[in-house]
Amino acid sequence: MALTATEDLPRFLRAARGQALDATPVWFMRQAGRYLPEYRAIRARHSLLEICARPAIAAEVTLQPVTRLGVDAAILFADILLPLVPMGLELEFQAGEGPVIHNPVRTGADIDALRTVDVTEALGSVMETIRLVREQLPSDIPLIGFAGAPFTMASYAIEGGSSRTFVETKRLMYTDPDAWHRLLGGMAEVVFDYLRAQVDAGAQAIQLFDSWAGALAEQEYREFVLPHTRLIFERLKPLDVPTIHFGVGTHHMLEAMREAGGDVTGLDWRTPLEEGWRRLGPDASIQGNLDPTLLFAPLPVLRRSVIDLLARAEGRPGHIFNLGHGVLPGTPVENVRAVVDFVHELTA
Ligand code: CP3
């Protein structure tokens, strides 16, 4: 195979740039977490926020799936909601209920009362985690940093937690569009500063999670969200790290998400990969998109699904194998490992 001048770059970074590969790179969203016994052992002694705040522990958890699974990239162990804390939001993770924000923002006055913070300083422990991970990671395994995109972060700040309908979020958007744009503009500033600090600390790629943007119609996304997300990607460009833009249920607005930015577009399991390339263009890099629940299927079924997915990718250099969303709690670890091996074996 003809290799480019960047042949010494790790597989994952070459794929993000759409360059020739020796095998398709694979990693998983939520590859660290509750399905891993070694993570649960640490969680038995520390809360999620404690793990995030303690670099030695967060670094250990980041490295756990690299050792256990043989994936082609590590993702920083942190949470997209961390930057909300220095902004003045009281964040707590409650067992069984997920994240809760005790003082959600609902009005223009609430928004104007948010603190404009130096996230780099407030979240210095995250940068320290990145430095520790980079010291310990094998040189051919890049570290992915990440943040939440303005819409998804704002939805938690406004709803006060997870939501099915996003009624408070949309109410604010329709009722006070000026306040809405101030909030998303502020989020975009914070997110960019945070990501730049992650890159400075050693993150070699960046994923922006707009997990819930698919709750919007394309036209609303374009009007209320896209300009803010685009600003982040524009400002990341000079840092010269590959960027991934991910959302769930965004089938109806993939083109708009790609316009907002990201070298790589993440697809969930509902959009066939070949349709992704048809719509985004043959030069697009695409990440995805095995249904996370397939990891609960018997190995022969799982293997057939991986073969099917790889057939849709047709060996394109811009394919990064991942799930369509994160690994679910209770997922059999050996099945996750098997997918890594299938992908490498079938594409080598
Ligand atoms: O391995 C990795 O992917 C890195 C770590 C990571 C976490 N959260 C740790 C975590 C990443 C990338 C995230 C991103 C995140 N966090 C997103 C975007 C990705 C997605 O899933 O769409 C969102 C929406 C959140 C917010 C969040 N954090 C929720 C809604 C929850 C509760 C739901 C749940 O799964 O429990 C969390 C908690 C959380 N963040 C856990 C982990 C490993 C599980 C908590 C635990 O250990 O108790």
Side-chain angles (χ1 to χ4, degrees), residues 123-244:
L123 297 176
S125 60
V126 172
M127 310 324 149
E128 184 54 27
T129 301
I130 292 174
R131 284 186 283 269
L132 289 179
V133 171
R134 280 299 303 279
E135 273 170 31
Q136 294 168 64
L137 258 186
S139 62
D140 59 339
I141 306 294
L143 174 64
I144 305 168
F146 70 90
F151 175 81
T152 293
M153 298 246 305
S155 80
Y156 283 98
I158 298 166
E159 302 290 337
S162 303
S163 174
R164 277 185 177 279
T165 57
F166 298 95
V167 63
E168 296 301 336
T169 307
K170 293 183 182 184
R171 187 211 306 268
L172 182 75
M173 193 172 91
Y174 300 135
T175 310
D176 193 345
D178 288 343
W180 171 267
H181 284 292
R182 288 203 301 283
L183 177 62
L184 265 74
M187 293 278 179
E189 289 287 327
V190 168
V191 166
F192 172 72
D193 290 345
Y194 181 46
L195 290 175
R196 178 173 50 193
Q198 291 186 31
V199 173
D200 287 346
Q204 293 147 290
I206 290 295
Q207 176 153 326
L208 197 64
F209 285 93
D210 213 349
S211 301
W212 313 134
L216 298 173
E218 178 178 359
Q219 187 191 336
E220 292 172 327
Y221 176 80
R222 286 186 179 278
E223 178 176 350
F224 293 105
V225 177
L226 189 151
H228 303 289
T229 299
R230 173 153 46 206
L231 194 72
I232 297 171
F233 282 114
E234 285 297 319
R235 295 180 70 190
L236 284 172
K237 262 188 200 149
L239 305 188
D240 203 31
V241 292
T243 53
I244 306 166

Side-chain angles (χ1 to χ4, degrees), residues 3-11 13-14 19-20 139-141:
L3 288 179
T4 63
T6 50
E7 66 190 62
D8 50 332
L9 272 185
R11 211 182 259 160
L13 293 176
R14 289 206 308 274
Q19 293 164 350
S139 62
D140 59 339
I141 306 294

Side-chain angles (χ1 to χ4, degrees), residues 27-34 39 43 48 51-52 65 75-81 93 97-99 146 152 156 162 209 211-212 246 248 325-326 329:
W27 70 282
F28 303 102
M29 293 180 274
R30 293 274 171 105
Q31 64 189 17
R34 284 166 295 186
Y39 173 79
R43 262 298 265 123
L48 178 64
I51 298 175
C52 294
I75 180 161
L76 165 72
F77 193 85
D79 195 89
I80 63 162
L81 303 181
F93 286 93
E97 291 189 47
F146 70 90
T152 293
Y156 283 98
S162 303
F209 285 93
S211 301
W212 313 134
F246 170 78
V248 183
H325 201 179

Side-chain angles (χ1 to χ4, degrees), residues 14 25 56 77 82 88 91 94 98 102 104 149 155 187 198 259 263 274 277 298 311 313-314 334 339:
R14 289 206 308 274
F77 193 85
L82 295 185
L91 169 68
Q94 290 181 350
H102 295 287
S155 80
M187 293 278 179
Q198 291 186 31
E259 268 176 60
D263 301 309
E274 72 277 17
W277 271 293
E314 293 181 315
E334 61 278 15
V339 169

